[in-house]
């Protein structure tokens, strides 16, 4: 299975979403300091969307890592039982 590729993509997506959230937060603070409250509220929405997407990505990444760990445990257990039955 291509779980390594999906895990890698999920890590990069998380990094990009973190960058977008930090950039939106910075822009929001600058707009608020300048006095553009409407623009600040709009960028706040972008920030919230980026955070929600980051949380969804994080949950998916944890699920992918858990699935991969279970697959490795199953294959390791299968190879141990196969080698023990072949030896006797």
């Amino acid at each position: 299975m291509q779980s390594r590729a999906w895990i890698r993509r999920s890590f990069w997506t998380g990094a990009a979403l973190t960058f977008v959230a930090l950039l939106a937060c910075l822009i929001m603070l600058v707009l608020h300091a300048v006095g553009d409250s409407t623009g600040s509220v709009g960028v706040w929405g972008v920030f919230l969307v980026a955070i929600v997407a980051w949380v969804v990505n994080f949950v998916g990444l944890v699920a992918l890592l858990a699935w991969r760990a279970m697959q490795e445990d199953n294959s390791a257990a299968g190879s141990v039982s196969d080698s023990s039955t072949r030896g006797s």
Side-chain angles (χ1 to χ4, degrees), residues 11-27 46-47 50-51 54:
F11 273 124
W12 280 110
T13 302
L17 287 170
T18 301
F19 177 73
V20 167
L22 289 175
L23 186 64
C25 187
L26 179 67
I27 292 171
V46 172
F47 173 77
I51 292 299
W54 190 92

Side-chain angles (χ1 to χ4, degrees), residues 1 33 37 42 76 84:
M1 200 73 183
S37 61
S84 64

